[in-house]
Amino acid sequence: GYMKTGDADNVLTVKVDNLFRDTLPPTVKTDYTFYGGIYRDVWLRISELAYVVGVCWFTPTVSEQAAELSLRSRAVNKGPQTVNLTLVNEVFDAHGGLVKSLSSPVRIPPRETREVTQEAGMVANPELWSPDHPYLYRIRTSLLDGLAPVDTLENPLGFRWFKFDAQRGFFLNGKRVQLQGTNWHQVYPGMGNALPNSRHVKDMEIIRAMGVNFWRTSHYPHDPATMEASDRLGLMVWEELPINKEIGNPPEYIANCLTMADEMIGRDRNHPCVIVWGLAGEVLASLPVAKKVIAAVAGRYRELDP
């Protein structure tokens, strides 16, 4: 694609290498591995030299009476000078009412990143997110220079708590909920894998309408549009990496898996719909190698999303 800046043309080239590699999952030539081109969106984010990334929320405790909320953000300075900015996080309810506002000064030396953690304290009587009541709050993150916004991001926020009990099943917000699920592939007749957002969303709506409250992203992270639709429709999600079948050089394979874990959880951890980070399935390797792969990935999941 071409971009005009000033008097010059810039050419931006995006390239994909689709050769089969036994060190890069998925390594199986099956119904969902298409060694094709780029069939998802590619985004270009244009920002100032200072910007904010990696905003994520944590809810150490949640109940019907109160939810504890903590926010973590990273402020980046790509410029040659130290900057003194203010990081503001505002939490809004579904009607746009301000619930919390947090402000922290942040001093960032040249070409460095600063992580900022803000404790929002307790939110009283939170609206809880569930399939029957998919209530969404919003977090607006702003990086300010004085009063002037340098960068702004928005993220969804949902208050819920859940657990799997080996004897009694799945509990959401303290109540037993029957998971009624399906797997979903993104392929569609006449379009292959290159679906527009409208099709992703329509399929989520059809899945919800047929009585499903839980779906598995067979067998890879799906388009962000499906996550946004799941938040809104009250579909719980098992999101997974395509780790299965042949494993080439195990250290190299594991390194690739861990990068994918960083990307998946980094992208989708703020979606209240996601309740499980998973793996795709059958790992065809000796037991010690298979255990090593699973342990490394599960360990990284717990580290990224405690």
Side-chain angles (χ1 to χ4, degrees), residues 251-273:
E252 206 180 314
Y253 184 91
I254 288 170
N256 283 327
C257 292
L258 297 184
T259 299
M260 291 166 90
D262 291 349
E263 290 172 351
M264 174 175 76
I265 294 181
R267 191 192 79 173
D268 289 340
R269 62 172 307 150
N270 290 329
H271 289 290
C273 63

Side-chain angles (χ1 to χ4, degrees), residues 107-155:
R107 180 181 173 84
I108 326 169
R111 287 170 282 279
E112 287 198 24
T113 297
R114 287 287 176 268
E115 190 165 283
V116 181
T117 300
Q118 294 168 316
E119 300 302 335
M122 296 310 241
V123 174
N125 306 313
E127 293 275 359
L128 300 179
W129 186 94
S130 70
D132 293 336
H133 185 66
Y135 192 96
L136 290 173
Y137 291 81
R138 251 178 338 111
I139 302 166
R140 185 194 293 151
T141 308
S142 309
L143 198 57
L144 306 177
D145 183 358
L147 295 174
V150 178
D151 194 21
T152 310
L153 286 181
E154 291 215 351
N155 276 290

Side-chain angles (χ1 to χ4, degrees), residues 243 247-258 279 283-302:
I243 296 170
I247 290 177
N249 176 317
E252 206 180 314
Y253 184 91
I254 288 170
N256 283 327
C257 292
L258 297 184
L279 306 172
V283 178
L284 295 189
S286 65
L287 200 55
V289 169
K291 281 183 168 173
K292 210 172 165 181
V293 170
I294 302 305
V297 175
R300 179 61 63 91
Y301 283 177
R302 292 193 175 102

Side-chain angles (χ1 to χ4, degrees), residues 147-169:
L147 295 174
V150 178
D151 194 21
T152 310
L153 286 181
E154 291 215 351
N155 276 290
L157 162 66
F159 292 111
R160 78 280 188 268
W161 82 96
F162 54 86
K163 65 170 186 177
F164 289 90
D165 182 287
Q167 268 63 51
R168 298 165 67 208

Side-chain angles (χ1 to χ4, degrees), residues 37-52:
I38 297 173
Y39 60 82
R40 291 267 184 88
D41 304 302
V42 175
W43 289 278
L44 176 69
R45 187 169 173 230
I46 297 170
S47 72
E48 303 294 338
L49 289 172
Y51 54 91
V52 67

Side-chain angles (χ1 to χ4, degrees), residues 202-225:
K202 186 75 187 145
D203 273 21
M204 294 296 107
E205 288 169 347
I206 291 168
I207 284 170
R208 189 72 183 100
M210 75 187 199
V212 162
N213 62 8
F214 177 71
W215 70 283
R216 176 176 174 227
T217 69
S218 324
H219 297 283
Y220 38 83
H222 279 251
D223 194 285

